[in-house]
Amino acid sequence: MGTALVNRLKHAESKWTFIDGDLIRDLHGDNLGHTIEDRAKNSHRIRDLCLLQDKQGLNVVACVLSIFPEHQLQNRSLFSKYVQVYLKTSMETLLQRDQKGLYKKAREGVEKNVVGVDIKFPEPEQSDLVVETDKKSIEQIADEILDHLGLNLNLYPYSQTSRWTNKFEKYQYTPYLGSRFLEDYQDSRHKALQTSRSLADSKKPAPVQISQPTIWELVKKFEVQKKIGESASDHLEAAHCVADSLEKTSGSKALILFNALLKMNDKIIAIYADKLNPAEQLLFSACLKSEMDFFRKLHGR
Amino acid sequence: MGDKVIKVALLASNNNRAKAYIQNLAGKLKCVDHIFYLADPPEVLPEQTVLDKMSQRTSQVATVKSDVLGVDFNEKEHVLSTAKKCGIDVTQLESTVPNTDEVAAAVSKYPGQYLIYAGPGGHILKRSLLETGKVFLHAHPGWLPDYKGSTTVYYSLLNEYSIGCSIIVFAPQVDSGPVLFRKKTSADVLKQLQVESYDYHFDPLLRTSTFLDFFKNGAKVKPLISADENHQQGDTYYIIHPVLKHIAIGKIQKNREQP
C-alpha cells in the first residue's frame, strides 16, 4: 500500500519518501524481537528516521503496525505536519491475506508476540482518516488518501507530459492516474485547439499527397529519433501527413499512426506553439482536430 | 536446431523479471544451471544498494501472482538469494550492461548453448554477444509476428482484448528471430491485478508463464515461425503514448466492473 501511494506521489510538487516498519528492523541488523518492549524501540527508531527526513524538508509515508497510542499522540507535536491514516482491516481479511503465514503460525502456537493474536491491538483513536480496506483495491485506497491530503494528482497537468518530450530521450511511461487523466488530456487539447484556431487565418490547409510506404518510414523515423528535422514547419508537415493518413486508415495500423500523432502534437505544443504563424496555426489545428476525432472514436466518448 | 530439451543460463540483474525467472525456472523446473550476474549501474543510489544487500538476507515476502497464468514470485527475494538456495553457480560481472567484451568473454566460456536475457531493460543484444555462438532466448510480450516492438501488451489489448507472449531466439533485427513457442489469452487475465502492477508485476508474470509452458512442452527449439516470416509479417509498435495506455487500461477497468 505504501509503495503504491509513493509511486503516485512521485508526481506531486514536493518530495516524498517511503519508510516501512519491517525494513527499519533489517536496517538495524534485525536485532529486535516482537515483544512489546522491542516493538516500542522499533517505533522510536521509525519516528527518529522520519524526524530526520522531516527536518530536511521531505514528506514521508511511514507504513507501521502501530500499537502505541501515546506515540501516535506525541507525533502530532514532534513533526512539522502529521497525518495519521488508519487502514482498518477485519481479522477475517487479514487471515485471508496472511502473506507471511504469520497468523496461521500464531494460531498454531508456533509464532508468539503477534499483534491481534497474543498482543492486543489498540485501535488508533485520533486518526485523521480511517479507511476501511476489506473490500477496496489499493488504487481506491490511494485515491481516498490523496483526496484527504488535498493532492489532486489527477490534475497531473497533461502539458507536463509534453514538457518531458523536451527533456527526455524516451517518451515517458505515465503511471495510471485514473480516468480523470483522459479528461485532463481532452481539456488541454481543446484549449490548444481554441488557441490555434483563434490565431489562424481563414485559408484551408492544402491536402497532403503521400504514399503509404513513406508514411511508415516517417513514423519510424520520428518514433526512433524523436524528431523530424529541426523546425516547426518540419514537424507540422510530418504531423499533417500522419493526421491525413489516420483519417484513411483503420485497424491496428491506425493505432500506430495515432500513437505517433499524439507525440508529434505534444512536441509541437511543448516547443513551437507560441512561435507558429497564422498559416501554421491553421495546419496545427487540423492536426489537433484529427487527433481528437480519432480519440473520441476510440474512447467512445 | 532439432527436437531436444535444454538447460539454460540467465544473464541477469536484480530486477523483477530476473526474480520471476529464476524462482520459477530454477526453483520449480530446475532448468537453469548458471547465472551471469550484471553489476548495479552507477545511477542506483547507495541506499538502494544497501536495501538490495539487505534483501539478500531478509525473510520478507511480497508475493506477486496470477492464478490465471498459474505463476507467482516473491518480489523481495534477491536473485542471488535464489541462486544460492538452488545451488546455482554465479559468475559476478563488473559490467552493468550486456553488450561488453567482459560479458561476451564470460558467456563464451559457458559450456551450455542457451541463455535467457533478464538484465536491465532498454538494451538490445548486439552482434558481439550474438556472435559468441550461444543462442539467446527471449520472451517477447506479444503474439508474433503480429505484435513486434515495444509495449505490445497494450496494443494487443486495444486491438483485440487479448494478451500474447512469444519465445524467440534473439536476432540482430528486434523481435525478428525465429519463433519457438507462443501463447495468447484474453485480457481478462489482467483483471486480477492492480493497475500499478501491470508494468512491474504482470510483465514478469506473463514472460515467466510463457517460458514455463515452453519448458513443460519439451522446450523444442525447432521454429514454429521462421525468422524471415517473423520479420516480414505483422506490425512494429512503438512506445505507447500515455493517452493510449490509459484507454487500454480503461478497457480492463470497465470489464472488471462487469460480472
Side-chain angles (χ1 to χ4, degrees):
Chain A
M1 184 63 240
T3 309
L5 197 54
V6 168
N7 280 340
R8 299 275 291 274
L9 287 165
K10 270 182 196 163
H11 300 285
E13 287 298 319
S14 44
K15 294 217 184 299
W16 289 81
T17 66
F18 173 49
I19 285 176
D20 175 88
D22 283 345
L23 220 50
I24 299 305
R25 286 175 174 274
D26 283 343
L27 194 65
H28 289 270
D30 205 17
N31 61 4
L32 288 177
H34 291 84
T35 59
I36 292 194
E37 294 73 24
D38 279 355
R39 285 179 186 272
K41 282 182 191 165
N42 198 46
S43 173
H44 285 138
R45 284 176 177 175
I46 295 167
R47 175 204 63 195
D48 291 344
L49 190 56
C50 290
L51 266 174
L52 179 67
Q53 300 199 25
D54 183 27
K55 284 180 166 61
Q56 294 177 47
L58 299 170
N59 300 313
V60 185
V61 171
C63 287
V64 182
L65 171 53
S66 171
I67 59 168
F68 303 104
E70 64 276 22
H71 292 185
Q72 292 158 23
L73 199 59
Q74 267 174 2
N75 287 341
R76 289 197 183 276
S77 56
L78 288 173
F79 290 95
S80 57
K81 185 172 178 183
Y82 176 74
V83 176
Q84 184 171 296
V85 177
Y86 172 30
L87 299 181
K88 188 170 179 175
T89 311
S90 67
M91 183 50 86
E92 199 181 84
T93 303
L94 286 174
L95 291 171
Q96 271 175 11
R97 288 177 192 164
D98 205 8
Q99 272 197 332
K100 300 178 197 176
L102 201 56
Y103 293 105
K104 184 171 182 284
K105 287 182 197 164
R107 288 183 148 197
E108 288 167 359
V110 172
E111 193 77 41
K112 298 280 179 214
N113 295 318
V114 175
V115 174
V117 181
D118 49 354
I119 292 181
K120 189 175 183 297
F121 173 64
E123 282 201 67
E125 287 173 0
Q126 294 182 39
S127 300
D128 300 288
L129 176 68
V130 178
V131 181
E132 309 258 354
T133 72
D134 285 0
K135 292 189 167 93
K136 288 180 184 152
S137 68
I138 287 181
E139 205 198 331
Q140 285 168 320
I141 298 170
D143 268 343
E144 256 189 76
I145 297 173
L146 292 174
D147 276 345
H148 179 83
L149 289 172
L151 289 173
N152 192 348
L153 296 175
N154 287 320
L155 277 183
Y156 171 65
Y158 184 72
S159 58
Q160 189 168 339
T161 306
S162 298
R163 280 210 299 278
W164 285 7
T165 61
N166 224 354
K167 285 188 191 174
F168 297 101
E169 284 182 11
K170 283 188 184 181
Y171 205 98
Q172 295 296 301
Y173 278 74
T174 298
Y176 185 67
L177 295 171
S179 60
R180 279 177 281 182
F181 177 86
L182 291 176
E183 288 166 20
D184 291 327
Y185 149 74
Q186 288 181 85
D187 286 343
S188 72
R189 284 309 210 237
H190 275 304
K191 208 169 141 186
L193 186 58
Q194 276 167 0
T195 308
S196 65
R197 274 177 178 164
S198 68
L199 293 172
D201 64 22
S202 56
K203 290 184 197 158
K204 273 181 99 170
V208 176
Q209 299 292 332
I210 193 154
S211 64
Q212 280 298 310
T214 311
I215 192 70
W216 301 114
E217 284 161 14
L218 185 70
V219 166
K220 183 179 176 180
K221 185 176 175 180
F222 175 74
E223 289 277 14
V224 170
Q225 295 178 14
K226 313 292 175 240
K227 62 177 183 176
I228 299 281
E230 301 296 334
S231 68
S233 60
D234 287 337
H235 284 85
L236 265 177
E237 210 177 284
H240 201 239
C241 289
V242 171
D244 200 56
S245 292
L246 180 60
E247 284 172 17
K248 302 165 194 152
T249 310
S250 58
S252 56
K253 288 184 164 26
L255 279 186
I256 299 172
L257 292 173
F258 181 57
N259 195 58
L261 183 61
L262 280 163
K263 293 177 185 180
M264 285 176 177
N265 286 343
D266 277 351
K267 192 156 186 131
I268 295 167
I269 289 171
I271 303 172
Y272 303 115
D274 53 357
K275 300 178 186 108
L276 301 179
N277 61 41
E280 287 169 338
Q281 290 289 357
L282 190 68
L283 199 60
F284 185 45
S285 66
C287 296
L288 283 174
K289 189 177 174 304
S290 293
E291 180 202 297
M292 292 172 74
D293 285 346
F294 190 86
F295 170 82
R296 271 189 290 271
K297 212 165 55 174
L298 186 65
H299 189 44
R301 283 180 204 174
Chain B
M1 289 186 267
D3 279 13
K4 61 179 183 181
V5 178
I6 57 178
K7 286 252 182 193
V8 295
L10 294 188
L11 174 57
S13 52
N14 189 42
N15 56 60
N16 273 5
R17 192 192 307 179
K19 289 173 192 173
Y21 281 172
I22 191 174
Q23 286 174 37
N24 286 277
L25 299 181
K28 292 178 185 167
L29 283 195
K30 306 201 190 314
C31 54
V32 176
D33 61 8
H34 200 90
I35 309 278
F36 292 95
Y37 186 72
L38 292 163
D40 283 336
E43 58 266 22
V44 170
L45 295 170
E47 301 81 64
Q48 186 60 51
T49 310
V50 166
L51 287 172
D52 282 350
K53 282 206 162 78
M54 275 169 22
S55 74
Q56 287 186 43
R57 57 175 193 270
T58 191
S59 58
Q60 285 192 353
V61 174
T63 305
V64 176
K65 69 174 179 174
S66 167
D67 292 327
V68 177
L69 292 176
V71 68
D72 60 66
F73 70 98
N74 176 7
E75 200 180 8
K76 296 278 188 186
E77 187 171 299
H78 198 285
V79 162
L80 296 179
S81 297
T82 315
K84 192 172 173 185
K85 259 202 263 185
C86 297
I88 299 173
D89 289 335
V90 176
T91 300
Q92 181 88 47
L93 300 163
E94 286 181 10
S95 306
T96 57
V97 293
N99 293 308
T100 66
D101 291 341
E102 184 209 13
V103 175
V107 155
S108 300
K109 291 182 193 150
Y110 170 57
Q113 199 184 356
Y114 300 98
L115 289 102
I116 293 175
Y117 179 68
H123 289 274
I124 296 167
L125 299 189
K126 298 224 167 105
R127 282 189 193 276
S128 54
L129 208 51
L130 299 178
E131 282 168 0
T132 55
K134 306 298 176 189
V135 177
F136 282 85
L137 302 177
H138 173 61
H140 169 73
W143 177 267
L144 289 171
D146 300 351
Y147 291 95
K148 290 195 281 286
S150 174
T151 55
T152 42
V153 159
Y154 296 104
Y155 289 107
S156 168
L157 221 165
L158 283 165
N159 277 330
E160 40 181 273
Y161 197 68
S162 74
I163 302 293
C165 191
S166 311
I167 304 295
I168 62 169
V169 175
F170 257 113
Q173 280 271 22
V174 174
D175 302 331
S176 296
V179 179
L180 307 182
F181 181 84
R182 57 185 183 172
K183 70 176 193 178
K184 197 192 273 199
T185 184
S186 160
D188 278 347
V189 71
L190 286 164
K191 280 204 254 184
Q192 187 194 17
L193 294 166
Q194 300 301 331
V195 168
E196 292 82 8
S197 305
Y198 293 167
D199 291 329
Y200 295 108
H201 294 161
F202 178 71
D203 182 271
L205 286 172
L206 175 65
R207 294 181 203 238
T208 303
S209 160
T210 311
F211 261 123
L212 279 173
D213 289 346
F214 169 64
F215 282 105
K216 284 176 186 169
N217 277 280
K220 295 181 175 61
V221 291
K222 190 173 166 185
L224 282 176
I225 295 169
S226 72
D228 278 341
E229 279 176 87
N230 190 18
H231 180 54
Q232 283 158 23
Q233 295 172 19
D235 291 309
T236 297
Y237 293 86
Y238 302 97
I239 295 177
I240 197 163
H241 188 280
V243 163
L244 264 178
K245 184 175 173 181
H246 277 55
I247 295 174
I249 291 173
K251 272 183 127 178
I252 305 162
Q253 305 291 14
K254 206 168 153 190
N255 281 3
R256 202 201 289 261
E257 286 152 20
Q258 286 165 4

